[in-house]
Amino acid sequence: MTERVYLDWNATARLRPEARAAMAACLDEIGNPSSVHAEGRAARRMVEAARDAVAGLVGADAALVTFTSGGTEANMLALTPSIEAGSDKAPRERLMLSAIEHPSVLCGGRFQAETVEQIPVNENGVIELDALRERLGALTRSGIRRPLVSIMHANNETGTVQPVSEAADIVHEAGGFLHVDAVQSAGRIPCDIKTLKADLLTLSAHKLGGPKGVGALLRRTDALHFPNPLIKGGGQERGLRAGTENVAGIGGFGAAAQAASVLLGEEGPRLSALRERLETGLKTICPDAVIFGTKGIRVTNTTLFSVRGVKAETALITLDLNGVAVSSGSACSSGKVQPSHVLAAMGVEPALARGAIRVSLGWASTARDIEIFLDAWKKLAESLGKVGRSIAA
Ligand code: PLP
């Protein structure tokens, strides 16, 4: 069997051994965390230890972590007009999003479509802060004083990091709240809720080496309250998310968050060096390769590139047959490769955008993975006559 090389960590990461061990321990614990007996209290301790670890990853208060079924649910919980801020119980009247958000944010959550608007990004995939300031100013002048703004920390396709704390200053000045989808940044770059000045922050376990199907929404302060949570019923998660907790998932999330926090200082530079090798090798094989987002700041694990005349679908299938798993732009949940809204927002011409291939690395990626990818890419490029020459127009 061909040796497999997994380079699609932005779609999902390999489970960390610490997470697997924590999940096994949780699965062996019979108790329901809501039960008062010793078994219940043991399960509760596991959930609360994980809550501490997840909060620790982003410098948050553990009491303000709400576990969910993943990043998508956390985004849906956050993006609602009904957010109370202390005694201010009036609804949020407008939702503003960067044009490059993940579909789980781009859909607008629980806002009516006509109350959602997008803020453009520049050609480097970075939000236009002047446009944000201008739009918020126009809203204030028209009497709308309670916007909710959602800006992702790192983009899942390009890896571009957004100027979140600068955006927060603008949003707060306009009386708004800022939600930050940190699914692709947490555990990869420093992601402190206070430094980012985020009011709400979304995390997902499976992007940082935890299990799939668990995530969290974190609040900066207890004054922010959701009177109308997505899932109602029991009082779990302080009334913000009913239902018996996914103890094993949460335990795995906590262990992965802890491992990611401890290793952050090492993994970032290590992955950065691997990516440098990848991008240099790619440019040597195909000098015309366009790597997107390089003029902005990127998380250290992501490369999105295109070579004119190479179709992403063909490349993905050929690489897969040669044992290499990568992705075309964002993962296609429907099995259909959709044109990337991120590259469109950056003004990339459709023909080039359609060829975009994403290579993303993670905690278990090695130098050998990169060499195998480059060998497979070279073979593919040779077969298409794209090696070592300029392929203009
Ligand atoms: N936000 C971003 C930026 C993502 O990349 C993803 C997953 O790809 C999500 C949210 C959704 O997270 P989950 O898969 O946990 O629902």
PDB file of all heavy atoms in Angstrom, residues 194-212:
ATOM      1  N   LYS A 194      -8.190  38.563  25.685  1.00  0.00           N
ATOM      2  CA  LYS A 194      -8.088  39.962  26.152  1.00  0.00           C
ATOM      3  C   LYS A 194      -7.212  40.775  25.196  1.00  0.00           C
ATOM      4  O   LYS A 194      -7.531  41.913  24.875  1.00  0.00           O
ATOM      5  CB  LYS A 194      -7.533  40.007  27.567  1.00  0.00           C
ATOM      6  CG  LYS A 194      -8.488  39.350  28.563  1.00  0.00           C
ATOM      7  CD  LYS A 194      -8.043  39.520  29.995  1.00  0.00           C
ATOM      8  CE  LYS A 194      -8.904  38.665  30.913  1.00  0.00           C
ATOM      9  NZ  LYS A 194      -8.462  37.264  30.990  1.00  0.00           N
ATOM     10  N   THR A 195      -6.108  40.172  24.718  1.00  0.00           N
ATOM     11  CA  THR A 195      -5.246  40.900  23.770  1.00  0.00           C
ATOM     12  C   THR A 195      -6.010  41.168  22.475  1.00  0.00           C
ATOM     13  O   THR A 195      -5.894  42.240  21.876  1.00  0.00           O
ATOM     14  CB  THR A 195      -3.981  40.069  23.465  1.00  0.00           C
ATOM     15  OG1 THR A 195      -3.414  39.674  24.702  1.00  0.00           O
ATOM     16  CG2 THR A 195      -2.966  40.835  22.658  1.00  0.00           C
ATOM     17  N   LEU A 196      -6.802  40.190  22.053  1.00  0.00           N
ATOM     18  CA  LEU A 196      -7.588  40.374  20.822  1.00  0.00           C
ATOM     19  C   LEU A 196      -8.737  41.355  21.040  1.00  0.00           C
ATOM     20  O   LEU A 196      -9.313  41.859  20.091  1.00  0.00           O
ATOM     21  CB  LEU A 196      -8.165  39.035  20.345  1.00  0.00           C
ATOM     22  CG  LEU A 196      -7.163  37.977  19.875  1.00  0.00           C
ATOM     23  CD1 LEU A 196      -7.877  36.673  19.556  1.00  0.00           C
ATOM     24  CD2 LEU A 196      -6.392  38.458  18.661  1.00  0.00           C
ATOM     25  N   LYS A 197      -9.093  41.563  22.318  1.00  0.00           N
ATOM     26  CA  LYS A 197     -10.224  42.420  22.712  1.00  0.00           C
ATOM     27  C   LYS A 197     -11.541  41.871  22.141  1.00  0.00           C
ATOM     28  O   LYS A 197     -12.448  42.642  21.775  1.00  0.00           O
ATOM     29  CB  LYS A 197     -10.005  43.871  22.268  1.00  0.00           C
ATOM     30  CG  LYS A 197      -8.727  44.488  22.825  1.00  0.00           C
ATOM     31  CD  LYS A 197      -8.537  45.888  22.279  1.00  0.00           C
ATOM     32  CE  LYS A 197      -7.130  46.390  22.499  1.00  0.00           C
ATOM     33  NZ  LYS A 197      -6.716  47.422  21.545  1.00  0.00           N
ATOM     34  N   ALA A 198     -11.613  40.546  22.036  1.00  0.00           N
ATOM     35  CA  ALA A 198     -12.844  39.911  21.530  1.00  0.00           C
ATOM     36  C   ALA A 198     -13.869  39.837  22.650  1.00  0.00           C
ATOM     37  O   ALA A 198     -13.524  39.546  23.792  1.00  0.00           O
ATOM     38  CB  ALA A 198     -12.520  38.512  21.028  1.00  0.00           C
ATOM     39  N   ASP A 199     -15.122  40.075  22.325  1.00  0.00           N
ATOM     40  CA  ASP A 199     -16.193  39.911  23.315  1.00  0.00           C
ATOM     41  C   ASP A 199     -16.655  38.465  23.343  1.00  0.00           C
ATOM     42  O   ASP A 199     -17.054  37.953  24.383  1.00  0.00           O
ATOM     43  CB  ASP A 199     -17.358  40.840  22.959  1.00  0.00           C
ATOM     44  CG  ASP A 199     -16.908  42.291  22.969  1.00  0.00           C
ATOM     45  OD1 ASP A 199     -16.537  42.776  24.049  1.00  0.00           O
ATOM     46  OD2 ASP A 199     -16.876  42.922  21.894  1.00  0.00           O
ATOM     47  N   LEU A 200     -16.632  37.829  22.179  1.00  0.00           N
ATOM     48  CA  LEU A 200     -17.043  36.425  22.042  1.00  0.00           C
ATOM     49  C   LEU A 200     -16.010  35.733  21.161  1.00  0.00           C
ATOM     50  O   LEU A 200     -15.525  36.334  20.190  1.00  0.00           O
ATOM     51  CB  LEU A 200     -18.419  36.346  21.364  1.00  0.00           C
ATOM     52  CG  LEU A 200     -19.579  37.012  22.107  1.00  0.00           C
ATOM     53  CD1 LEU A 200     -20.766  37.225  21.164  1.00  0.00           C
ATOM     54  CD2 LEU A 200     -19.999  36.169  23.303  1.00  0.00           C
ATOM     55  N   LEU A 201     -15.686  34.481  21.486  1.00  0.00           N
ATOM     56  CA  LEU A 201     -14.630  33.795  20.739  1.00  0.00           C
ATOM     57  C   LEU A 201     -15.039  32.338  20.529  1.00  0.00           C
ATOM     58  O   LEU A 201     -15.463  31.669  21.463  1.00  0.00           O
ATOM     59  CB  LEU A 201     -13.342  33.859  21.557  1.00  0.00           C
ATOM     60  CG  LEU A 201     -12.083  33.387  20.853  1.00  0.00           C
ATOM     61  CD1 LEU A 201     -11.254  34.612  20.437  1.00  0.00           C
ATOM     62  CD2 LEU A 201     -11.238  32.533  21.774  1.00  0.00           C
ATOM     63  N   THR A 202     -14.904  31.887  19.282  1.00  0.00           N
ATOM     64  CA  THR A 202     -15.271  30.504  18.940  1.00  0.00           C
ATOM     65  C   THR A 202     -14.028  29.631  18.798  1.00  0.00           C
ATOM     66  O   THR A 202     -13.050  30.044  18.172  1.00  0.00           O
ATOM     67  CB  THR A 202     -16.042  30.506  17.593  1.00  0.00           C
ATOM     68  OG1 THR A 202     -17.334  31.076  17.804  1.00  0.00           O
ATOM     69  CG2 THR A 202     -16.215  29.090  17.041  1.00  0.00           C
ATOM     70  N   LEU A 203     -14.110  28.418  19.354  1.00  0.00           N
ATOM     71  CA  LEU A 203     -13.038  27.423  19.206  1.00  0.00           C
ATOM     72  C   LEU A 203     -13.636  26.100  18.743  1.00  0.00           C
ATOM     73  O   LEU A 203     -14.812  25.822  19.003  1.00  0.00           O
ATOM     74  CB  LEU A 203     -12.337  27.179  20.552  1.00  0.00           C
ATOM     75  CG  LEU A 203     -11.647  28.364  21.224  1.00  0.00           C
ATOM     76  CD1 LEU A 203     -11.091  27.952  22.585  1.00  0.00           C
ATOM     77  CD2 LEU A 203     -10.544  28.922  20.343  1.00  0.00           C
ATOM     78  N   SER A 204     -12.804  25.284  18.097  1.00  0.00           N
ATOM     79  CA  SER A 204     -13.233  23.938  17.707  1.00  0.00           C
ATOM     80  C   SER A 204     -12.107  22.967  18.054  1.00  0.00           C
ATOM     81  O   SER A 204     -10.942  23.221  17.730  1.00  0.00           O
ATOM     82  CB  SER A 204     -13.518  23.907  16.200  1.00  0.00           C
ATOM     83  OG  SER A 204     -13.773  22.589  15.789  1.00  0.00           O
ATOM     84  N   ALA A 205     -12.466  21.852  18.699  1.00  0.00           N
ATOM     85  CA  ALA A 205     -11.442  20.923  19.201  1.00  0.00           C
ATOM     86  C   ALA A 205     -10.656  20.263  18.077  1.00  0.00           C
ATOM     87  O   ALA A 205      -9.442  20.083  18.170  1.00  0.00           O
ATOM     88  CB  ALA A 205     -12.111  19.853  20.060  1.00  0.00           C
ATOM     89  N   HIS A 206     -11.354  19.900  16.979  1.00  0.00           N
ATOM     90  CA  HIS A 206     -10.685  19.023  16.018  1.00  0.00           C
ATOM     91  C   HIS A 206      -9.649  19.717  15.153  1.00  0.00           C
ATOM     92  O   HIS A 206      -8.902  19.063  14.431  1.00  0.00           O
ATOM     93  CB  HIS A 206     -11.709  18.250  15.171  1.00  0.00           C
ATOM     94  CG  HIS A 206     -12.442  19.035  14.134  1.00  0.00           C
ATOM     95  ND1 HIS A 206     -12.172  18.915  12.798  1.00  0.00           N
ATOM     96  CD2 HIS A 206     -13.463  19.912  14.220  1.00  0.00           C
ATOM     97  CE1 HIS A 206     -13.004  19.693  12.110  1.00  0.00           C
ATOM     98  NE2 HIS A 206     -13.795  20.309  12.953  1.00  0.00           N
ATOM     99  N   LYS A 207      -9.581  21.050  15.239  1.00  0.00           N
ATOM    100  CA  LYS A 207      -8.537  21.731  14.467  1.00  0.00           C
ATOM    101  C   LYS A 207      -7.233  21.783  15.245  1.00  0.00           C
ATOM    102  O   LYS A 207      -6.199  22.117  14.692  1.00  0.00           O
ATOM    103  CB  LYS A 207      -8.973  23.151  14.100  1.00  0.00           C
ATOM    104  CG  LYS A 207     -10.337  23.258  13.445  1.00  0.00           C
ATOM    105  CD  LYS A 207     -10.370  22.742  12.028  1.00  0.00           C
ATOM    106  CE  LYS A 207     -11.772  22.951  11.461  1.00  0.00           C
ATOM    107  NZ  LYS A 207     -11.897  22.588  10.078  1.00  0.00           N
ATOM    108  N   LEU A 208      -7.297  21.511  16.537  1.00  0.00           N
ATOM    109  CA  LEU A 208      -6.068  21.606  17.324  1.00  0.00           C
ATOM    110  C   LEU A 208      -5.651  20.272  17.939  1.00  0.00           C
ATOM    111  O   LEU A 208      -4.869  20.235  18.888  1.00  0.00           O
ATOM    112  CB  LEU A 208      -6.158  22.735  18.364  1.00  0.00           C
ATOM    113  CG  LEU A 208      -7.356  22.869  19.273  1.00  0.00           C
ATOM    114  CD1 LEU A 208      -7.137  22.101  20.558  1.00  0.00           C
ATOM    115  CD2 LEU A 208      -7.567  24.345  19.608  1.00  0.00           C
ATOM    116  N   GLY A 209      -6.185  19.192  17.378  1.00  0.00           N
ATOM    117  CA  GLY A 209      -5.742  17.875  17.824  1.00  0.00           C
ATOM    118  C   GLY A 209      -6.674  17.209  18.820  1.00  0.00           C
ATOM    119  O   GLY A 209      -6.319  16.204  19.445  1.00  0.00           O
ATOM    120  N   GLY A 210      -7.868  17.757  18.972  1.00  0.00           N
ATOM    121  CA  GLY A 210      -8.901  17.131  19.790  1.00  0.00           C
ATOM    122  C   GLY A 210      -9.864  16.377  18.881  1.00  0.00           C
ATOM    123  O   GLY A 210      -9.640  16.283  17.660  1.00  0.00           O
ATOM    124  N   PRO A 211     -10.947  15.837  19.457  1.00  0.00           N
ATOM    125  CA  PRO A 211     -11.906  15.101  18.638  1.00  0.00           C
ATOM    126  C   PRO A 211     -12.834  16.010  17.838  1.00  0.00           C
ATOM    127  O   PRO A 211     -13.023  17.176  18.170  1.00  0.00           O
ATOM    128  CB  PRO A 211     -12.699  14.327  19.689  1.00  0.00           C
ATOM    129  CG  PRO A 211     -12.604  15.161  20.916  1.00  0.00           C
ATOM    130  CD  PRO A 211     -11.278  15.855  20.885  1.00  0.00           C
ATOM    131  N   LYS A 212     -13.439  15.451  16.807  1.00  0.00           N
ATOM    132  CA  LYS A 212     -14.452  16.174  16.031  1.00  0.00           C
ATOM    133  C   LYS A 212     -15.749  16.221  16.842  1.00  0.00           C
ATOM    134  O   LYS A 212     -16.020  15.320  17.636  1.00  0.00           O
ATOM    135  CB  LYS A 212     -14.706  15.458  14.705  1.00  0.00           C
ATOM    136  CG  LYS A 212     -13.471  15.395  13.822  1.00  0.00           C
ATOM    137  CD  LYS A 212     -13.673  14.427  12.672  1.00  0.00           C
ATOM    138  CE  LYS A 212     -12.411  14.226  11.876  1.00  0.00           C
ATOM    139  NZ  LYS A 212     -11.340  13.505  12.604  1.00  0.00           N
TER     140      LYS A 212
END
